[in-house]
Amino acid sequence: MNKARTLLVAAATLALSASVHAQEFVTVLTGGTSGVYYPMGVALSQVYGKAMPGAKTSAQVTKASVENLNLLQAGRGEIAFTLGDSLSDAWKGDPEAGFKTPLNKLRTIAAIYPNYIQIVANADSGIKTLADLKGKRIAVGAPKSGTELNARAIFKGAGLSYKDFAKVEYLPFGESVELMKNRQLDATLISAGLGVAAIRDLATAVKIVIVSVPADVVAKIGEAAYQSGTVPANTYNGQTEATPTVTIQNFLVSHEGVSADAAYKMTKAIFDHLPELQAAHAAAKAITRENAAKAPPAPLHAGAARYYKEVGLIK
């Protein structure tokens, strides 16, 4: 009898241990350390540490959107940052964008803030317009990253291709900026929130120009995820004029393997702790609960939907 009771207790303990273990990790997939995803992801992991007692939270450096979505599909992370066009491509399955098959396990948590396509040139390069980029040396983001997919789309809309440039480097933000400081590159395309650290750093070292992306070029891209926007004057040192450009919505995404209860808590925590996210990066000031459930490229997670129903945003 005692042996049977011992076995039952051991089995119950193992079951409880397995249940706790299954829920104890919340890994936030971010991006490179010189972008916006990383500092905001670190802040988000800290928020989850407070909002989800007992969970072990962490922020992981990644190559951002495309890698993040593939990792989520494989169950290697619980929540991730991504660009809206990458999420759309992943849900549909676009091999050219880095998704060999549709990533059907993805579930949207929230629309957050817009990325601004910021094409930055050394002022002494003579680059003032998109056409001036012909024959110049440019960085377009890591290969098949969300930023690089943005670069392809925008240059196509402007009637340009990589063949028009003297040199194309596939580099993350920080590395492209270092090459610009050393005069080894003329321009870089950075897709990130306003005030991104890499451009702030560059603007303190050299005089920069933010290259305009006119509304007619945005229209020629032919993708709803791309909208016209403006980089306000004085966003960066020496940038005294507002500059037309392209914006793309960012999203936080999870996957169907994350429980509805965990996804509910993760969604609620975002909006209960916005000041902490805003303190991590100014881009978070554009996050609003009212816009969070609008036009998700992949279906809402059941837990996120529960939260938005609770606050009256969806029926």
Side-chain angles (χ1 to χ4, degrees):
M1 185 69 179
N2 286 342
K3 184 177 181 181
R5 186 181 295 117
T6 300
L7 287 171
L8 283 171
V9 169
T13 302
L14 282 170
L16 179 61
S17 175
S19 173
V20 169
H21 180 75
Q23 298 177 39
E24 69 179 347
F25 294 101
V26 178
T27 301
V28 183
L29 305 175
T30 64
T33 55
S34 56
V36 176
Y37 288 175
Y38 181 72
M40 203 176 292
V42 170
L44 189 61
S45 72
Q46 292 167 349
V47 162
Y48 288 155
K50 296 175 188 174
M52 302 170 73
K56 291 185 179 179
T57 63
S58 63
Q60 182 175 321
V61 175
T62 68
K63 295 176 183 175
S65 299
V66 177
E67 182 180 20
N68 288 353
L69 295 170
N70 282 309
L71 286 171
L72 284 180
Q73 178 74 10
R76 294 169 60 192
E78 285 64 51
I79 190 165
F81 290 79
T82 182
L83 282 163
D85 58 332
S86 294
L87 180 54
S88 178
D89 289 338
W91 182 251
K92 291 181 288 189
D94 183 346
E96 284 296 307
F99 308 107
K100 295 178 182 179
T101 58
L103 304 192
N104 56 9
K105 295 180 182 178
L106 299 179
R107 297 293 184 268
T108 302
I109 294 294
I112 43 175
Y113 65 92
N115 257 25
Y116 288 74
I117 306 301
Q118 299 164 81
I119 303 175
V120 188
N122 272 322
D124 60 8
S125 68
I127 298 169
K128 294 181 180 178
T129 68
L130 287 169
D132 293 336
L133 291 169
K134 284 187 177 181
K136 302 296 186 181
R137 303 163 299 172
I138 187 167
V140 293
K144 289 192 175 178
S145 62
T147 293
E148 203 249 314
L149 297 179
N150 295 163
R152 290 190 221 175
I154 288 157
F155 293 141
K156 185 177 179 181
L160 296 169
S161 74
Y162 289 171
K163 292 178 182 177
D164 291 311
F165 307 128
K167 186 178 186 181
V168 177
E169 294 280 7
Y170 299 87
L171 297 169
F173 303 164
E175 290 178 35
S176 68
V177 161
E178 287 306 311
L179 289 183
M180 286 187 68
K181 287 182 188 177
N182 296 329
R183 301 296 197 269
Q184 292 173 272
L185 279 177
D186 301 304
T188 184
L189 183 146
I190 289 178
S191 177
L194 291 174
V196 63
I199 304 178
R200 288 205 319 268
D201 177 36
L202 179 63
T204 60
V206 301
K207 191 174 179 182
I208 65 165
V209 170
I210 306 291
V211 180
S212 172
V213 183
D216 63 322
V217 171
V218 181
K220 287 174 184 173
I221 295 170
E223 165 61 58
Y226 292 81
Q227 298 290 322
S228 289
T230 303
V231 179
N234 302 310
T235 299
Y236 302 104
N237 185 45
Q239 179 239 334
T240 56
E241 295 182 4
T243 308
T245 192
V246 188
T247 65
I248 305 165
Q249 188 66 40
N250 282 290
F251 289 83
L252 282 168
V253 188
S254 188
H255 60 84
E256 64 180 13
V258 172
S259 72
D261 184 56
Y264 169 84
K265 289 176 181 176
M266 288 194 292
T267 308
K268 185 176 188 296
I270 295 165
F271 302 101
D272 286 352
H273 296 269
L274 269 181
E276 286 101 309
L277 300 183
Q278 291 165 350
H281 201 285
K285 292 177 181 176
I287 301 175
T288 67
R289 191 170 65 179
E290 291 68 29
N291 291 328
K294 289 182 180 177
L300 286 172
H301 195 293
R306 174 183 148 201
Y307 173 75
Y308 295 129
K309 287 175 184 175
E310 190 176 273
V311 297
L313 289 174
I314 62 175
K315 293 182 180 180

